[in-house]
Amino acid sequence: MIKQAIPTELGTEKIGKLLIQYAVPAIIAMTASSLYNMVDSIFIGHGVGSLALSGLALTFPLMNLAAAFGSLVGVGAATLVSVKLGQKDYDTAQRILGNVVVLNIIIGLLFTLCTLLFLNPILYFFGASEDTIGYARDYMIVILAGNVVTHLYLGLNSVMRSAGHPQKAMYATIATVVLNTILDPLFIFVFDWGIQGAAIATILAQIISLCWLFKLFANKNELLHFHRGIFRLKKKIVKESLAIGMAPFMMNMAACFIVILINQGLKEHGGDLAIGAFGIVNRFVFLFVMIVMGLNQGMQPIAGYNFGAGLVERVIRVFKLTVMAATTVTTLGFLAGEGMPGLVTRIFTTDPELIENSIRGMRITFICFPLIGFQIVTANLFQSIGMAGKAIFLSLSRQLLLLLPCLLLLPPIYGQNGVWASMPISDFIATLISAIMLWWQIKKFKTEHVKQ
């Protein structure tokens, strides 16, 4: 018998308290996740070398592509679970859980097979050279072999959070980070497995955490748990999940394409070490972006539940609080990136040329960084309340409509600086577009509320 204990406090508790309750575990989890990506880079930089960092940076587009397919299922399903719980449609929420497992296995296997068959041509297209492709290939073979595990781990973790267990979702992520941090130096320095050791550590840590998540979802006392009948794919559930998940999917696909252009531009105007510099800057940027994403994950079940329950004022309130917190985070990132880029870079490498490239890139990249918290949260708001089309547009506006033209036009004129400058320019314009769309949507909410 299903335990009828759902997070009804999402519709009644104070918004500030709820955001703290749901966002803090997600922030800790996302920060930990970002840190373990940084740990990978740090150990690779000091244990394998600066060219290995460039090889690792070459894998970013492929990692974004894998994340795109993972988020297509995981993020969409998690949002749908929140909405269905708000509507008290418990049977559909159960079936969504089962569909998450099946879809992740199917998509994960297909992605792995396709990419392994064409791995070398893909990496050369991403900007690899004869000096860096060996590192990138060694790393990605292991990551791709464990791709299904990664998809299942991230998908079930998202559903766990949306089902009212943010602390358990946090514990799973922290466990992955701690295990990876312990295994990285062991495999790289002690076993001398090089960059492959870092990849093995990542997948092994995810396998252990996934086993724990399976155990949690096997508990029949939980509202959402594994049982017969939920693993049969339902056309409506698949369609709705993929429709909502299309926004982060398209965002990650666009990110994949954009990173390819960045790598190619940096290789042409700065060489392999300029790509390594982007790897360092990107890791540091994502430390702050992932905190904002943690805030988004805290906001998502609150916004989704209250929108499903017709409590629009609570949706607006949680959005405002999330934007304030996100802007604080990105402002701190701006101060760190502009004020101590050398200190940050030396954590990853001792190579003078790589340090010089990274400092230049970091200072340019962080110029408009305080604005992006608002832009990210706004896109997530539309996604959280099931407005997939608007979320997709906002997700793509920065990547394809703005950043793409900048990357095509500026580097031929300004060289490596043109590549770096493309990012803050697109951030600024994307924020303006987000503000206009948000103003229109809130005005519409208020008009509909008055009519009711």
Side-chain angles (χ1 to χ4, degrees), residues 180-223:
N180 187 75
T181 304
I182 293 170
L183 295 174
D184 255 344
L186 179 66
F187 292 167
I188 293 174
F189 295 106
V190 179
F191 293 171
D192 197 25
W193 289 350
I195 199 169
Q196 275 193 325
I200 293 169
T202 296
I203 297 301
L204 187 56
Q206 290 177 353
I207 289 173
I208 295 170
S209 291
L210 178 60
C211 289
W212 185 65
L213 285 170
F214 275 139
K215 181 181 178 183
L216 292 176
F217 279 112
N219 184 359
K220 294 183 179 181
N221 291 322
E222 290 293 337
L223 175 62

Side-chain angles (χ1 to χ4, degrees), residues 133 160 167 293 423:
I133 191 168
M160 178 68 70
Q167 290 84 4
M293 295 303 291
M423 290 176 265

